[in-house]
């Protein structure tokens, strides 16, 4: 059974930083497509960033230059370093994973995830 567990969310003032982590267990494939989505109540879920086995990354335009997605090794956690946070970054952030080929679809950060974490709340105050 694949499980994704996020951590690192919290409350921060605008301009601050947070680092989200996602620990994956039960995923036996050495190749992957992983990423972060976020959602605000009443709005559609938004893809934030994704990364594949080769380290290729894609970001949403709204976070490019401020957020960095990373994953050093096959079994290491997935991270999202968020700098220069803005109030509009406030959302529930979800870690997601899928087969490697899922990252080959489209040029943006979204992908068809097979596995989801439970989410971690990020709140940015002005």
């Amino acid at each position: 059974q694949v499980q994704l567990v996020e951590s690192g969310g919290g409350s921060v003032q605008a301009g601050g930083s947070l680092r989200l982590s996602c620990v994956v267990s039960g995923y036996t494939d050495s190749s992957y497509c992983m990423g972060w989505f976020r959602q605000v109540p009443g709005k559609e879920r938004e893809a934030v960033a994704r990364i594949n086995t080769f380290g290729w990354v894609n970001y949403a335009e709204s976070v490019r230059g401020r957020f960095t997605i990373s994953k050093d090794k096959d079994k290491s956690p997935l991270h999202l370093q968020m700098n220069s946070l803005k109030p509009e970054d406030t959302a529930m952030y979800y870690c997601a994973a899928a087969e490697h080929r899922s990252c080959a679809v489209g040029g943006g950060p979204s992908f068809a995830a097979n596995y989801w974490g439970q989410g971690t709340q990020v709140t940015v105050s002005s």
Side-chain angles (χ1 to χ4, degrees):
Q1 181 180 359
V2 178
Q3 289 188 321
L4 285 67
V5 180
E6 304 96 333
S7 62
S11 297
V12 65
Q13 289 190 328
S17 298
L18 284 173
R19 188 180 192 230
L20 305 184
S21 296
C22 174
V23 175
V24 183
S25 61
Y27 188 83
T28 58
D29 197 338
S30 60
S31 63
Y32 55 82
C33 175
M34 295 189 68
W36 295 91
F37 292 75
R38 65 186 181 186
Q39 188 168 25
V40 176
K43 293 189 177 181
E44 290 189 0
R45 185 172 55 204
E46 174 190 20
V48 176
R50 74 182 189 191
I51 186 169
N52 71 2
T53 316
F54 302 137
W56 298 346
V57 299
N58 295 90
Y59 294 98
E61 189 61 36
S62 59
V63 306
R64 186 174 291 119
R66 300 187 298 121
F67 290 10
T68 302
I69 188 171
S70 64
K71 190 178 186 305
D72 292 335
K73 300 178 182 179
D74 290 345
K75 303 300 183 183
S76 70
L78 177 73
H79 298 291
L80 184 68
Q81 178 66 42
M82 305 186 296
N83 298 328
S84 302
L85 282 162
K86 303 176 181 180
E88 51 263 43
D89 294 318
T90 295
M92 183 72 78
Y93 282 71
Y94 298 91
C95 174
E99 297 176 338
H100 173 84
R101 61 183 178 181
S102 295
C103 274
V105 179
S110 188
F111 63 97
N114 298 113
Y115 310 103
W116 294 90
Q118 81 290 349
T120 185
Q121 179 67 38
V122 171
T123 302
V124 184
S125 58
S126 58

